[in-house]
């Protein structure tokens, strides 16, 4: 019998792995987390980690092009993907610019970060739940496939995730499209104040009927659940006995006759970031860490039970004669740019939590967990389409969190038989994402020789009137959208670079057309001049965008939402899914692949809360098996 | 303050629409002067400042005339306009943009003439942010809930 030093080894120090580590160590299990990214001591809960974090804020400020990974310099030993890597792809000529080898026809534009804290280091932190029909698309609408679990199976774990991550929202706003909550439940913090522009838009368009084909919608501007510190909500003391939804006493404290959530501040500087301060830079980086990142969970892990090793890039898993994982192989590097040194280790269970693309890559490179031939397939995102306009009056753009509201009216309905649902974002940062404002406004005016007081007055008049809508559109699973590997393409450590093939079907393109129709109805109501209306694909230069397409006579283009999903989907049968409803491999009973890669379909919810909820579910399964 | 710096600040004020005191309050004048001198050199910078002296002499304190002359004599001049445009970019965005290709082939392509943000401070001090009633994204935060208040110049809608 092998003697195990670790009960579990977790690959990847992101949110999914951190939550599993938290649950396993809480039960006394010994856990090792291997992180490929640089050792910056971010998860050490002392003041140095706060200083390191602040250096990333300065790095972001000094970057010319501010993309999601701007704060984090490239690391050749654990490369990440960068939004600036994406170029148009022609058949037979893959895009080799970045870490991913992109074979198209469209580049997969969503980036992820390989560093302690994972992609929560740059996420926007919007945290809606999936709606019940998202779990049963085949049953309800005859498209895609159903999950092996339903909304009700995940409801309690959503609650746990919302409390551990620390989400600001009101249950009263979020009860729509069949979303339900346990009696007495509410989010730990009160909803973020809705921005002035949200309020303005809500007053103008709230409840106005929108007709698209034979469907009628009544859009409302609704507060969005977000993982940003707000005002802690008070609960009756009697809830303490119940214990739910906090399974961690440190999350609440008593003040007079009520229980309050205790917000978590910056790692290493707990007095900082206890409330969102309106830095207007959630993505790429919250300067005060009022926004959750996995660092907050990592920093609180019991160091007697959990060890985090950085700069360990996992290469493969080995199998024993019984078809169980017997060993994990990795390369470690002493400093960025130096070659890797091989190492290996064993544990009772192995948890891949390295994000959808890396998880698939490791399984493919190892030749494990793939009897279904689904590993790496069904790669999905929420293709992100935008419309924007210049409002007739000031709405106060460029203030506050990226989003404080959305319009959920298009998240669910019979129309999903024909075209994709979307979650409609109402942006607070003017045309920043769509047109690089306000920098582009300055440059454009100067190009037109506008200077002096006129320049100042023109900017003051125009930019505060900018409003942008975002359409986070569902994409259906498909076998051709996939991550593969080939010995031809390797990184500087000699490990495989992911090869990504990606396309978008008419189901999703059609929804972009609906997005334009809806926007037009809004703009008409808002009295936006025809020449002040824009959408992606329709502007000078847009035909050079790598996702540009003329579709049914309309020029379109899209970005990624940063939601990388589907590459090791869960299912109810080993023949057509990679993991079961606990994210355990059908093929190897001591292997888990967790995170957004497990989603069989993507609905319209930003995936992190769902991945976090699934981590709690998986951790229970692991604990059963570790008994 | 030497004459050259004095003219640099006068020109900066005229181009940005902010007065010299407001520009000095950013603390960036030495850095931006240094960027101009190191990338464009003394001769070209001097030419820009001389042109400014002429404009200033003709317009006097008449703001409208000044702006019209700036547009004509500086922004309307193929050699001077990109330099003046970059000076505006420095003050408003903390950013230097590489001079246009034709300009570089005619007047010189400095190895330092690369698009870049001058420094984190330069980004944070960009004038565009106060101009639009906002704050630099990622700095000088306005405080919890400030985003829910009406923007400058808008009455509360109740």
């Amino acid at each position: 019998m092998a003697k195990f030093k670790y009960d579990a080894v977790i690959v990847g120090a992101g949110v999914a792995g951190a939550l599993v580590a938290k649950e396993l160590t809480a039960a006394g299990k010994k856990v090792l987390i291997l992180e490929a990214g640089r050792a910056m001591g971010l998860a050490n809960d002392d003041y140095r980690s706060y200083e390191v974090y602040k250096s990333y804020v300065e790095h972001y400020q000094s970057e010319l092009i501010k993309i999601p990974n701007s704060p984090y310099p490239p690391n050749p030993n654990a490369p990440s993907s960068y939004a600036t890597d994406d170029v148009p792809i022609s058949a037979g000529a893959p895009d080799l610019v970045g870490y991913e080898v992109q074979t198209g026809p469209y580049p997969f534009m969503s980036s992820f970060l390989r560093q302690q804290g994972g992609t929560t280091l740059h996420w926007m932190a919007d945290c809606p739940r999936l709606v019940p029909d998202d779990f049963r698309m085949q049953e309800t609408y005859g498209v895609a496939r159903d999950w092996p679990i339903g909304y009700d199976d995940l409801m309690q774990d959503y609650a746990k995730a919302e409390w551990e991550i620390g989400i600001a929202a009101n249950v009263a706003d979020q009860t729509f499209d069949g979303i339900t909550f346990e009696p007495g439940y509410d989010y730990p913090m009160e909803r973020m104040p809705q921005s002035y522009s949200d309020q303005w838009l809500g007053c103008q368009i709230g409840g106005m009927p929108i007709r698209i084909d034979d469907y009628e919608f009544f859009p409302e501007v609704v507060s969005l659940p977000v993982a940003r510190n707000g005002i802690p909500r008070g609960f009756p003391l009697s809830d303490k006995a119940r214990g739910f939804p906090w399974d961690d006493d440190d999350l609440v404290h008593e003040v007079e006759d009520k229980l309050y959530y205790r917000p978590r501040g910056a790692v290493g500087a707990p007095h900082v970031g206890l409330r969102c301060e309106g830095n207007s830079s959630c993505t790429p980086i919250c300067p005060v860490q009022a926004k959750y990142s996995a660092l907050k969970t990592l920093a609180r892990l019991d160091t007697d039970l959990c060890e985090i090793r950085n700069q360990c890039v996992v290469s493969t898993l080995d199998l024993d004669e019984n078809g169980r994982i017997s060993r994990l192989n990795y390369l470690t590097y002493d400093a960025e740019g130096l070659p890797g040194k091989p190492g290996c280790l064993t544990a009772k269970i192995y948890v891949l939590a390295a994000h959808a693309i890396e998880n698939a890559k490791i399984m493919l490179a190892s030749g494990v967990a793939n009897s279904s031939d689904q590993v790496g397939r069904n790669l999905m995102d929420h293709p992100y389409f935008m419309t924007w306009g210049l409002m007739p009056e000031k709405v106060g753009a460029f203030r506050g969190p990226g989003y404080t509201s959305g319009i959920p009216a298009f998240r669910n309905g019979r129309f999903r038989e024909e075209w994709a649902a979307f979650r409609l974002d109402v942006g607070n940062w003017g045309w920043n994402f769509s047109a690089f404002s306000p920098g582009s406004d300055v440059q454009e005016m100067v190009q037109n020789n506008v200077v002096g007081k006129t320049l100042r007055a023109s900017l003051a008049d125009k930019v505060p009137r900018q409003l942008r809508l975002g359409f986070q559109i569902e994409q259906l699973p498909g076998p051709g959208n996939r991550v593969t590997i080939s010995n031809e393409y390797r990184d500087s450590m000699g490990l495989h670079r992911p090869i990504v093939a990606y396309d978008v079907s008419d189901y999703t393109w059609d929804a972009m057309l609906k997005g334009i129709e809806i926007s037009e109805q809004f703009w008409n109501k808002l009295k936006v001049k025809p020449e002040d209306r824009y959408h992606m694909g329709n502007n000078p230069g847009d035909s050079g965008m790598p996702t540009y397409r003329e579709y049914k006579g309309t020029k379109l283009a899209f970005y990624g939402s940063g939601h990388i999903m589907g590459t090791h989907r869960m299912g109810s049968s080993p023949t057509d899914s990679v993991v079961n409803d606990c994210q355990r491999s059908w093929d190897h009973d001591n292997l888990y692949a967790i995170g957004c890669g497990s989603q069989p379909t993507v609905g319209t919810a930003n995936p992190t809360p769902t991945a976090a909820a699934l981590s709690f579910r998986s951790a229970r399964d692991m604990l059963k098996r570790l008994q | 303050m030497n004459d050259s710096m004095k003219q640099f600040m006068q020109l900066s004020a005229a181009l940005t629409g902010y007065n010299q005191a407001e520009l000095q309050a950013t603390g960036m004048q030495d850095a931006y002067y240094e960027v101009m001198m190191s990338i464009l050199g003394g001769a070209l910078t001097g030419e820009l400042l001389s042109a400014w002296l002429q404009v200033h002499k003709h317009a006097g304190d008449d703001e409208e005339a000044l702006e019209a002359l700036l547009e004509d004599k500086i922004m309307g001049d193929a050699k001077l306009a990109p330099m003046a445009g970059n000076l505006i970019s420095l003050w408003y965005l903390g950013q230097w943009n590489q001079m246009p290709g034709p300009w570089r082939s005619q007047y010189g392509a400095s190895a330092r003439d690369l698009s870049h943000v001058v420094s984190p401070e330069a980004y944070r001090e960009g004038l565009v942010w106060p101009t639009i009633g906002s704050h630099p994204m990622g700095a000088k935060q306005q405080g919890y809930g400030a985003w829910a208040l009406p923007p400058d110049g808008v009455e509360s809608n109740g």
Side-chain angles (χ1 to χ4, degrees), chain A residues 144-160:
Chain A
R145 55 192 276 119
D146 295 340
W147 291 47
I149 53 172
Y151 176 85
D152 290 345
D153 299 308
L154 215 50
M155 187 164 69
Q156 288 200 4
D157 289 322
Y158 266 130
K160 279 189 182 172

Side-chain angles (χ1 to χ4, degrees), chain A residues 260-282:
Chain A
Y260 287 92
Y261 174 75
R262 195 198 298 269
R264 289 184 188 147
V267 173
H271 55 291
V272 174
L274 293 174
R275 195 155 301 174
C276 171
E277 298 176 9
N279 264 292
S280 313
S281 63
C282 322

Side-chain angles (χ1 to χ4, degrees), chain A residues 81-159:
Chain A
S81 54
Y82 289 79
T84 40
D85 297 337
D86 298 318
V87 297
I89 301 165
S90 49
D95 164 11
L96 300 172
V97 177
Y99 167 53
E100 294 152 315
V101 175
Q102 303 247 19
T103 62
Y106 299 106
F108 189 78
M109 295 185 82
S110 285
S111 56
F112 57 101
L113 184 64
R114 295 169 77 195
Q115 189 161 320
Q116 205 175 81
T119 308
T120 57
L121 289 181
H122 82 212
W123 72 323
M124 185 59 86
D126 297 339
C127 285
R129 296 183 180 190
L130 287 167
V131 308
D133 283 335
D134 292 335
F135 294 85
R136 47 184 192 226
M137 285 293 285
Q138 182 57 236
E139 185 193 324
T140 317
Y141 301 117
V143 298
R145 55 192 276 119
D146 295 340
W147 291 47
I149 53 172
Y151 176 85
D152 290 345
D153 299 308
L154 215 50
M155 187 164 69
Q156 288 200 4
D157 289 322
Y158 266 130

Side-chain angles (χ1 to χ4, degrees), chain A residues 61 277 279-280 398-399 454, chain B residues 67 124 134-135 138 141 149:
Chain A
Q61 292 174 342
E277 298 176 9
N279 264 292
S280 313
F398 289 93
R399 300 182 306 152
T454 314
Chain B
E67 216 163 275
R124 295 194 293 260
S134 169
H135 67 100
Q141 61 273 38
L149 302 172

Side-chain angles (χ1 to χ4, degrees), chain A residues 40 46 114 145 155 169 301 319 413 441 448 474 477 492 496 563 569 601:
Chain A
M40 294 300 278
D46 65 27
R114 295 169 77 195
R145 55 192 276 119
M155 187 164 69
L301 294 173
L319 289 178
D441 301 296
N448 293 326
E474 176 162 26
S492 68
H496 293 102
H563 306 161
R569 70 182 180 193
T601 58

Side-chain angles (χ1 to χ4, degrees), chain A residues 57-58 60-64 66 191-196 199 229-231 275-281 287-288 394-401 404 429 432 438-439 442-443 446 449 451-456 459-460 463-464, chain B residues 14-18 22 63 67 70-71 75-76 85 88-89 92-93 95 97 115-117 119-121 123-124 128-129 131-152 154-155 157:
Chain A
V57 176
E58 291 232 321
Y60 147 73
Q61 292 174 342
S62 63
E63 283 286 280
L64 195 61
K66 293 178 166 53
R191 72 180 192 187
M192 287 276 119
Q194 291 180 284
S195 69
Y196 177 81
Q199 299 168 42
N229 284 337
I231 297 171
R275 195 155 301 174
C276 171
E277 298 176 9
N279 264 292
S280 313
S281 63
V288 299
K394 287 188 182 183
V395 296
F398 289 93
R399 300 182 306 152
T404 39
W429 298 341
N432 184 259
V442 175
Q443 312 281 15
V446 170
N449 293 348
V451 298
K453 293 250 159 60
T454 314
L455 171 67
R456 188 174 167 181
L459 287 167
V463 180
Chain B
L15 286 172
T16 58
Y18 279 84
E22 289 167 320
E63 277 191 12
E67 216 163 275
L70 271 179
E71 281 173 30
M75 300 313 286
I88 295 174
S89 175
Y92 268 87
L93 303 170
Q95 176 182 327
N97 302 309
S115 298
H116 67 285
V117 174
S119 63
E121 292 80 6
Y123 167 79
R124 295 194 293 260
V128 70
W129 306 108
T131 302
I132 64 172
S134 169
H135 67 100
M137 300 173 88
K140 301 191 186 186
Q141 61 273 38
Q142 296 182 323
Y144 179 79
W147 56 84
L149 302 172
D152 288 350
V154 174
E155 293 290 311
N157 62 357

